[in-house]
Amino acid sequence: MNNAIFGSTSWNGNNQSDDDISSKTPSVYISDEEIDESINEWKFSLIGFFIIKLDNEVDMRYIWNGYWIVETQVLKLREWETNFNPAAQKITTDFVWINFPGLGMEYWKEKIIMDLGERFGRAIKVDETTLKKEVGYYASVLVEVDLSRYIPNQIEVKSKYGSFTQEVQIPHIPKFCNHCKVVGHWVAECRSNRDNT
């Protein structure tokens, strides 16, 4: 009969009670070299609902800056991090179109509009109508914003020619619960909030 030894601890059955055995939580120490090597392997990866493993920053930036739809669902990305636990994540970000009404046509360049969008979150793309300068009332950019944070209603635009305050509009803000900090419902609809009252 083979004797099994698990890890570095062997059990000799010296009249230990079940309570004594269950109270001893096993642990493991991963060497500095081993954990650093493992973390380095994933440094250019992005986390969505699955991990996209990449081995260079160029590819990572290409995917990070894109707007990806997988079977009608928009793919939300985040930078890779150690000890990531999918079950513990709360989704506080969503995609919104940010409009800059009355913005002068000299600012209707893709790079400028993207820079404006970056001040509110992760700028994804400029609206096609804006790029074609077909409608002159407002420029628009799609941005992934964190709805748990304050979203300003104006932005200061500066250049060597001076500065001005630009109004910001978000015509469709997704539902966000300030109680449980997740996208998808308002506080008034929150079951968790009702359970606590």
Side-chain angles (χ1 to χ4, degrees):
M1 181 176 176
N2 292 333
N3 292 325
I5 297 177
F6 299 94
S8 60
T9 303
S10 61
W11 182 70
N12 59 15
N14 287 337
N15 296 327
Q16 289 181 308
S17 71
D18 289 344
D19 289 341
D20 289 339
I21 296 169
S22 64
S23 67
K24 295 180 179 177
T25 303
S27 64
V28 61
Y29 180 80
I30 303 168
S31 72
D32 295 353
E33 181 181 322
E34 191 73 27
I35 193 64
D36 286 345
E37 181 182 330
S38 183
I39 287 173
N40 191 49
E41 178 184 344
W42 293 94
K43 69 181 179 181
F44 295 117
S45 300
L46 300 170
I47 296 175
F49 290 101
F50 51 87
I51 297 177
I52 304 169
K53 188 171 187 289
L54 304 165
D55 60 7
N56 64 81
E57 188 173 1
V58 173
D59 290 345
M60 185 190 78
R61 291 293 160 211
Y62 175 76
I63 293 173
W64 178 258
N65 292 325
Y67 180 64
W68 308 99
I69 299 176
V70 180
E71 293 188 359
T72 73
Q73 296 294 315
V74 176
L75 181 63
K76 294 184 179 180
L77 300 172
R78 63 186 293 162
E79 291 182 329
W80 185 82
E81 62 192 58
T82 58
N83 302 321
F84 178 76
N85 179 0
Q89 302 307 306
K90 291 191 174 184
I91 305 299
T92 62
T93 65
D94 211 342
F95 297 96
V96 298
W97 286 100
I98 295 181
N99 298 340
F100 303 103
L103 183 67
M105 281 293 188
E106 64 270 29
Y107 299 98
W108 285 45
K109 301 283 284 182
E110 184 173 22
K111 174 72 166 65
I112 293 173
I113 302 296
M114 289 290 284
D115 285 347
L116 293 176
E118 284 289 331
R119 299 304 176 266
F120 299 89
R122 183 168 70 100
I124 305 298
K125 65 176 183 176
V126 177
D127 177 55
E128 287 297 322
T129 304
T130 299
L131 290 176
K132 294 174 183 175
K133 300 178 177 65
E134 291 178 347
V135 179
Y137 177 64
Y138 61 81
S140 189
V141 60
L142 184 66
V143 181
E144 184 179 15
V145 298
D146 188 342
L147 298 170
S148 67
R149 297 182 178 175
Y150 170 72
I151 304 172
N153 59 8
Q154 58 185 27
I155 185 173
E156 191 77 12
V157 180
K158 300 177 181 179
S159 75
K160 66 179 182 179
Y161 299 107
S163 65
F164 61 93
T165 300
Q166 171 62 49
E167 182 186 355
V168 173
Q169 294 177 345
I170 303 176
H172 305 290
I173 297 182
K175 291 181 176 183
F176 180 75
C177 178
N178 283 309
H179 173 72
C180 61
K181 305 297 184 190
V182 294
V183 175
H185 62 269
W186 301 116
V187 173
E189 303 168 333
C190 182
R191 282 187 284 181
S192 175
N193 191 34
R194 285 199 300 267
D195 293 343
N196 292 332
T197 57

